[in-house]
Amino acid sequence: MGYIAMIGLEMHCEASETNTKVFSSARNAYSVTPNENIRPYDMGFPGVLPVVNKKAVEYAIKTSMVLNCKQPEYMYFERKNYYYPDMPKNYQITQETKPIPVGIYGYVDYECEGEEKRVRVNNIHLEEDAASSDHLYDTTVIDYNRAANPLLELVTEPDFRTGEEAMAFLEHMRTVYQYLGVSECDTKKGHIRCDVNVSIMDESLDPEDPSNWGTKVEMKNVNSFGGVRDCIKYEIKRQTKAKEDGTYDTEVIQETRRWDEETQSTIAMRSKVDAVDYKYFVEPNIPKYKLTKEWLDEIRASIPELAYDRKKRYMNDYGLSEYDSNILVKEKKISDFFEDTVKLGTDPKEACNWVNGMILSYLNYHMITIDDIYMTPDMLRDQLIDDKTISSKQAKDVFNKVLEEKKEPMQVVKDEGMMQITDEGSIEGIVDEVLAENPQAIETYDPENPKALDYFIGQVMKKTRGKANPSIAYKMMKEKLDNLKK
Ligand code: ADP
Ligand code: MG
């Protein structure tokens, strides 16, 4: 018998782009120095009070709209009570009980391996992040930089069937958050973390009926997209094997596991049989407030062009291939760089070739981002060969020299004496010189033989050290020789 997998994601995204935290006035900024951006609220001192960050709410609403969710009439928060050192107030301010969250019951269309897919969104809510704990070998240290940062948790229905679909969805959502300006979505800074829920069921049963669903296993805090894909694959295999071996009821239990990168396997952490009762209640220190129609309209009107639409525009307006367009829009900053280069008057196809070719391979090779490369859209425009001052082979050399020596492209062209001679007067002077010096070659020149010009062009190149524009030199030389032979 065959099985199908039911996969649901809880995607946490830190809204890294607000100036301050969601309930405190500390800076919302990633730092490698522990406890640099903190205020008493973040450390849970007695008596601290939350102040809601309006920008964070705006970002949450904007995302809720893009997810086709229903927004609540009133915005309010809840208290989730639990004890853990990374949450010293002993409660987290969140939104859990429907209809409170900033968005409920939406859907997202995304593409997976060239196919359109849809996943239903159960809800998206705004909450505060916890601190991060680092377990050293005989002690645990806590960094409160992240505590009280705005965190958006998006909960999907179990509509994914494969690891590839889940990963494609995450990549899609990363572009949404980046294009909305909500988050940088840098997984290295922990901006995106996922809880992955997986179960399998007999393929003959109806997946719409929850009573048919298998036992759900949850993998907590998977922090890379590849990790999400791989842990799903692993779990599907493990659960399928248990079915086949007749050990499903004892091996697959409702529990939390973790994805271990090293062994590429999931490891049991704790059973989830006795669900914790968090004793939610409406957060009394944040008055509920009405989301006015005017504000919602304003937010809706500010939603920019997203990656999917940009991609379509690149294909339609610039004639770029789907493959190239997909690469360009995958990271907003890359796409912005490309657009800025085009706005400066560069041919889009040429700009695309450079960005997707030389620039991306340089970034990948050096493991840096487009912010860190010594190249700006202006410089790329300057070093492109629109005006044919340098050849395309030279352009690549210039590119490498600009990055190696941190010089302006025009300076490199000058310093290396790369400027092509395109001025017809100068080329004519040299052509005449070559003709005057080679009476014998003119004697044997055969206008019908296409190769007969090579010798003369060779002489022009020798005199100009390869800098004469070959097509101008060729045309001029042929005209003059053919005239002499008439
Ligand atoms: P919990 O109360 O354990 O957190 P929820 O019902 O809130 O569970 O669901 C959490 C996530 O698990 C959601 O993304 C949901 O789609 C997913 N999920 C629920 N049931 C299953 C199942 N049987 N198999 C796979 N995923 C599931
Ligand atoms: Mg949760």
Side-chain angles (χ1 to χ4, degrees):
M1 193 190 305
Y3 303 97
I4 55 169
M6 313 279 289
I7 302 151
L9 293 178
E10 293 160 87
M11 176 189 194
H12 296 86
C13 171
E14 193 145 315
S16 61
E17 302 302 284
T18 61
N19 291 328
T20 55
K21 297 185 177 183
V22 62
F23 299 127
S24 106
S25 60
R27 235 156 56 84
N28 172 7
Y30 176 81
S31 171
V32 286
T33 312
N35 300 312
E36 189 177 35
N37 303 317
I38 57 172
R39 289 278 188 276
Y41 177 89
D42 316 336
M43 311 211 32
F45 279 45
V48 288
L49 290 170
V51 178
V52 182
N53 180 331
K54 187 176 176 188
K55 200 75 192 170
V57 175
E58 182 192 316
Y59 285 165
I61 293 172
K62 221 185 245 196
T63 311
S64 161
M65 286 171 169
V66 171
L67 301 180
N68 304 292
C69 282
K70 185 171 147 31
Q71 289 84 47
E73 207 182 330
Y74 289 91
M75 187 76 186
Y76 50 122
F77 292 91
E78 284 174 310
R79 212 180 255 206
K80 175 181 183 175
N81 298 282
Y82 66 94
Y83 166 79
Y84 203 73
D86 68 9
M87 187 55 79
K89 300 195 304 303
N90 290 342
Y91 60 85
Q92 177 193 30
I93 299 183
T94 178
Q95 307 181 298
E96 185 85 10
T97 321
K98 292 190 194 72
I100 293 174
V102 68
I104 51 173
Y105 309 138
Y107 63 88
V108 179
D109 292 328
Y110 65 99
E111 250 173 56
C112 179
E113 290 161 352
E115 257 183 84
E116 281 266 338
K117 303 270 176 178
R118 174 169 291 190
V119 58
R120 288 167 300 159
V121 173
N122 179 284
N123 77 82
I124 177 159
H125 54 268
L126 175 61
E127 60 190 20
E128 58 185 328
D129 204 350
S132 46
S133 12
D134 215 345
H135 305 287
L136 309 179
Y137 98 102
D138 62 351
T139 183
T140 292
V141 289
I142 302 187
D143 174 5
Y144 290 92
N145 277 340
R146 208 176 74 179
N149 262 353
L151 196 65
L152 287 165
E153 178 172 350
L154 190 174
V155 183
T156 77
E157 297 295 347
D159 291 346
F160 304 109
R161 295 286 171 267
T162 64
E164 279 75 16
E165 285 179 9
M167 179 158 153
F169 167 79
L170 292 173
E171 279 174 348
H172 174 90
M173 280 311 301
R174 169 163 63 186
T175 68
V176 169
Y177 283 124
Q178 283 185 350
Y179 281 70
L180 290 179
V182 167
S183 177
E184 213 186 331
C185 294
D186 188 339
T187 42
K188 283 190 232 78
K189 295 180 184 166
H191 289 160
I192 297 187
R193 287 160 266 151
C194 274
D195 299 342
V196 184
N197 301 273
V198 182
S199 67
I200 59 169
M201 63 179 271
D202 295 353
E203 66 181 355
S204 58
L205 299 175
D206 175 15
E208 295 299 317
D209 179 357
S211 69
N212 290 329
W213 298 357
T215 306
K216 177 185 88 166
V217 171
E218 179 183 39
M219 267 70 62
K220 273 240 175 269
N221 272 324
V222 185
N223 56 17
S224 78
F225 293 180
V228 169
R229 180 197 54 209
D230 297 342
C231 82
I232 291 170
K233 287 194 170 175
Y234 180 88
E235 264 310 301
I236 293 176
K237 239 193 230 155
R238 185 180 77 87
Q239 295 180 20
T240 306
K241 183 163 186 308
K243 282 260 192 200
E244 285 162 356
D245 295 352
T247 57
Y248 184 81
D249 291 343
T250 49
E251 288 297 318
V252 181
I253 51 171
Q254 202 173 324
E255 66 181 354
T256 301
R257 299 174 75 88
R258 95 187 149 77
W259 173 241
D260 189 65
E261 285 281 347
E262 209 135 297
T263 57
Q264 293 284 302
S265 63
T266 63
I267 297 167
M269 282 166 73
R270 58 178 180 264
S271 113
K272 227 190 161 177
V273 194
D274 329 293
V276 190
D277 183 354
Y278 293 111
K279 301 271 190 261
Y280 288 100
F281 59 86
V282 171
E283 168 58 44
N285 290 323
I286 302 175
K288 75 175 184 184
Y289 54 97
K290 197 171 164 66
L291 297 178
T292 63
K293 184 177 176 305
E294 290 72 33
W295 196 38
L296 291 180
D297 287 347
E298 208 178 288
I299 294 173
R300 195 179 286 282
S302 73
I303 294 172
E305 180 186 49
L306 300 178
Y308 183 80
D309 301 309
R310 257 199 203 186
K311 171 182 120 178
K312 290 280 168 226
R313 183 161 56 80
Y314 291 175
M315 290 163 66
N316 295 335
D317 296 3
Y318 299 155
L320 302 183
S321 69
E322 177 159 22
Y323 177 82
D324 274 331
S325 308
N326 266 330
I327 297 176
L328 282 174
V329 302
K330 200 167 166 220
E331 290 280 342
K332 176 162 189 288
K333 283 181 179 169
I334 303 279
S335 169
D336 287 344
F337 187 102
F338 162 76
E339 297 223 344
D340 290 344
T341 311
V342 172
K343 272 189 210 127
L344 291 166
T346 311
D347 173 59
K349 281 202 175 133
E350 197 143 8
C352 164
N353 287 342
W354 276 88
V355 171
N356 283 355
M358 296 292 273
I359 293 193
L360 283 186
S361 39
Y362 187 87
L363 298 181
N364 288 339
Y365 182 77
H366 293 276
M367 294 201 284
I368 55 171
T369 73
I370 192 107
D371 291 334
D372 307 319
I373 193 172
Y374 190 80
M375 176 69 68
T376 60
D378 280 74
M379 286 158 71
L380 183 59
R381 192 266 324 262
D382 283 352
Q383 79 125 63
L384 284 180
I385 37 172
D386 282 349
D387 54 355
K388 301 284 175 246
T389 47
I390 56 174
S391 70
S392 52
K393 151 118 190 33
Q394 285 175 322
K396 288 198 173 128
D397 295 341
V398 173
F399 179 87
N400 289 326
K401 281 237 152 53
V402 165
L403 297 178
E404 268 164 37
E405 297 173 12
K406 304 218 186 318
K407 274 191 200 165
E408 293 292 311
M410 284 314 176
Q411 195 60 44
V412 174
V413 170
K414 247 187 234 140
D415 292 356
E416 302 290 316
M418 280 176 175
M419 207 66 92
Q420 253 194 13
I421 305 170
T422 52
D423 164 47
E424 303 217 350
S426 319
I427 295 180
E428 185 165 18
I430 294 157
V431 166
D432 287 343
E433 246 177 62
V434 170
L435 291 173
E437 286 166 13
N438 292 283
Q440 209 118 47
I442 296 172
E443 198 73 26
T444 55
Y445 171 75
D446 170 10
E448 302 303 318
N449 177 2
K451 289 238 164 264
L453 266 173
D454 287 359
Y455 171 76
F456 296 94
I457 299 297
Q459 295 301 305
V460 174
M461 288 305 174
K462 206 166 160 191
K463 280 182 182 291
T464 59
R465 288 194 294 137
K467 279 181 271 173
N469 178 298
S471 64
I472 300 177
Y474 191 91
K475 190 163 160 276
M476 206 172 266
M477 184 63 87
K478 182 157 176 52
E479 252 172 42
K480 288 199 184 238
L481 274 170
D482 290 354
N483 267 337
L484 285 173
K485 281 294 192 178
K486 260 184 199 155

